[in-house]
């Protein structure tokens, strides 16, 4: 059983505890929280509470997460857009809204469920829940991912990521006008102490993170940019763009809450992916245009 401790901030005071806790971790559902409360796995200031308890500022919440049940990955025909495939590696274009691998609350409809249906062999290094998965992109980010079909290929691709030789370029629409045509954001990223679901720029328990950006187009209140990852931290582009006061448009976690845009999720697309083939050594590079909803948003901004 894992134990997590949170302190309620002024911003969150007055909220029901069964609504607040799921905001700390995207894999925790409200129904899970309500079950844990009934099982007295959640305490406030050392005492058990009910699901309708309204938190106060400086309350100390302790969440004791039971050992996870074993998930069975069921193959599903999700008609994945496989851009490239050979006997060692494949590249898939993940749609926005699709989770990469099964987790509590997301047992079905994930990229892994679809891969299990369409692909004969996948590496087993990451276990039965994440077969073939070398790196991830967020649920509401679309774009290209490389997948390993055997363990040797998996190890090679991971080493390339660690050596920062993989070419990963994203297109993003961000709030405000970025004045510089090009720039580099070099700022370490770690987990937000107040909200575990969020990452933030911090010097405490963080890892180095570097994002290079180039302005493609400017509009009245938005900028279209291309971002190149030098490192691959959780939510890196989203956190870095917020850090320079230009959060990604449509981002429900790091962007302005009152801004409504005709797009479901953040306007962020992993459009270019390049790497060395793990066996032949040949350089492979693939690209995919932004999805239709993001293209429609660009057309609207250009008008």
């Amino acid at each position: 059983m894992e134990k997590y401790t949170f302190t309620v901030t002024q911003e969150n005071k007055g909220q029901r505890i069964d609504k607040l806790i799921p905001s700390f971790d995207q894999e925790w559902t409200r129904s899970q929280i309500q079950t844990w409360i009934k099982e007295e796995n959640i305490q406030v200031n050392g005492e058990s509470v009910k699901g309708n308890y309204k938190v106060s500022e400086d309350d100390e919440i302790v969440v004791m997460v039971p050992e996870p049940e074993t998930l069975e990955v069921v193959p599903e025909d999700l008609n994945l857009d496989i851009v490239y495939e050979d006997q060692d590696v494949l590249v898939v274009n993940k749609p926005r809204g699709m989770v990469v691998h099964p987790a509590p609350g997301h047992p079905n409809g994930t990229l892994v469920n679809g891969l299990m249906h369409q692909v004969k062999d996948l590496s087993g290094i990451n276990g039965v829940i994440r077969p073939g998965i070398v790196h991830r992109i967020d649920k509401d980010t679309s774009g290209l991912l490389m997948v390993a079909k055997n363990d040797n290929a998996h190890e090679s691709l991971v080493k390339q990521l660690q050596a920062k030789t993989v070419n990963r370029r994203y297109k993003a629409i961000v709030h405000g006008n970025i004045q510089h045509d090009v720039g580099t954001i070099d700022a370490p990223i770690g987990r937000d102490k107040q909200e575990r679901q969020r990452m933030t720029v911090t010097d405490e328990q963080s890892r180095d993170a570097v994002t290079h950006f180039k302005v493609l187009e400017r509009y009245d209140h938005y900028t279209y940019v291309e971002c190149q990852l030098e490192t691959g931290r959780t939510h890196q582009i989203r956190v870095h763009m917020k850090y320079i006061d230009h959060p990604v448009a449509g981002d429900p976690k790091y962007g302005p809450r009152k801004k409504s845009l005709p797009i479901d999720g953040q306007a962020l697309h992993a459009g270019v992916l390049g790497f060395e083939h793990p066996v032949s050594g040949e350089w492979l590079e693939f690209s995919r245009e932004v999805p239709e909803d993001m293209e429609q948003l660009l057309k609207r901004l250009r008008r």
Side-chain angles (χ1 to χ4, degrees):
M1 182 174 289
E2 292 187 86
K3 180 179 176 180
Y4 301 94
T5 303
F6 310 96
T7 301
V8 177
T9 63
Q10 183 179 13
E11 179 185 2
N12 293 325
K13 70 178 182 180
Q15 293 190 43
R16 283 177 56 124
I17 192 166
D18 59 352
K19 290 184 178 180
L20 173 63
I21 293 179
S23 70
F24 295 152
D25 192 306
Q26 60 185 348
E27 294 185 350
W28 294 348
T29 65
R30 189 176 176 187
S31 60
Q32 277 181 313
I33 297 303
Q34 290 170 337
T35 299
W36 294 347
I37 288 173
K38 290 177 182 177
E39 294 173 348
E40 299 188 351
N41 285 337
I42 293 176
Q43 296 185 338
V44 179
N45 302 324
E47 296 182 358
S48 300
V49 295
K50 294 184 178 181
N52 62 359
Y53 173 80
K54 293 185 178 180
V55 299
S56 301
E57 186 176 358
D58 295 327
D59 272 354
E60 184 179 81
I61 301 173
V62 175
V63 181
M64 291 167 283
V65 180
E67 291 297 323
E69 297 179 8
T70 301
L71 292 173
E72 181 182 355
V73 182
V74 179
E76 296 179 69
D77 185 2
L78 301 178
N79 193 29
L80 298 177
D81 178 15
I82 295 179
V83 177
Y84 172 84
E85 182 179 5
D86 62 27
Q87 63 184 6
D88 300 296
V89 68
L90 67 85
V91 174
V92 60
N93 185 28
K94 185 189 82 68
R96 178 182 294 108
M98 178 179 282
V99 176
V100 170
H101 60 76
H106 296 287
N108 309 110
T110 73
L111 184 73
V112 165
N113 293 108
L115 288 172
M116 294 287 284
H117 175 82
Q118 283 183 241
V119 182
K120 182 178 180 181
D121 299 307
L122 292 168
S123 73
I125 286 180
N126 274 345
V128 296
I129 300 302
R130 306 179 186 183
I133 301 302
V134 180
H135 63 131
R136 295 180 294 171
I137 55 179
D138 299 331
K139 172 189 173 184
D140 291 326
T141 297
S142 58
L144 300 172
L145 283 167
M146 54 187 178
V147 177
K149 297 184 68 177
N150 55 66
D151 290 355
N152 288 335
H154 195 122
E155 290 176 354
S156 171
L157 296 174
V158 168
K159 287 179 180 177
Q160 292 182 54
L161 286 167
Q162 292 171 342
K164 303 177 183 178
T165 59
V166 178
N167 184 20
R168 289 173 291 171
R169 300 206 304 271
Y170 290 66
K171 298 285 182 64
I173 303 170
V174 302
H175 287 275
N177 271 184
I178 299 178
Q179 298 304 309
H180 301 286
D181 291 338
V182 296
T184 295
I185 307 167
D186 186 348
I189 290 175
R191 195 164 292 281
D192 191 313
K193 286 186 175 182
Q194 302 301 326
E195 296 187 51
R196 285 192 69 256
Q197 191 181 0
R198 288 166 59 101
M199 308 301 288
T200 188
V201 170
T202 177
D203 290 324
E204 297 183 27
Q205 296 182 325
S206 59
R207 302 175 70 186
D208 65 299
V210 180
T211 305
H212 307 284
F213 68 83
K214 175 175 67 175
V215 170
L216 302 176
E217 298 176 24
R218 292 184 178 91
Y219 317 110
D220 286 345
H221 303 291
Y222 296 90
T223 305
Y224 187 31
V225 297
E226 181 178 71
C227 296
Q228 182 161 7
L229 291 180
E230 186 172 312
T231 55
R233 309 305 176 210
T234 301
H235 301 171
Q236 179 170 317
I237 291 174
R238 300 164 66 189
V239 172
H240 272 174
M241 298 314 293
K242 179 181 187 298
Y243 179 64
I244 64 169
D245 296 324
H246 293 286
V248 177
D251 191 332
K253 193 180 300 295
Y254 301 102
R257 295 187 178 182
K258 295 183 179 180
K259 294 285 185 179
S260 59
L261 294 167
I263 188 169
D264 187 14
Q266 57 267 9
L268 183 61
H269 174 69
V272 175
L273 178 63
F275 56 92
E276 187 179 282
H277 191 279
V279 176
S280 70
E282 176 188 3
W283 181 257
L284 303 176
E285 188 158 294
F286 308 93
S287 63
R288 277 293 185 270
E289 294 301 319
V290 299
E292 180 62 25
D293 59 351
M294 194 167 163
E295 181 60 39
Q296 291 302 316
L297 179 55
L298 285 169
K299 289 179 179 179
R300 172 177 161 177
L301 293 172
R302 287 167 184 149
R303 289 197 298 267

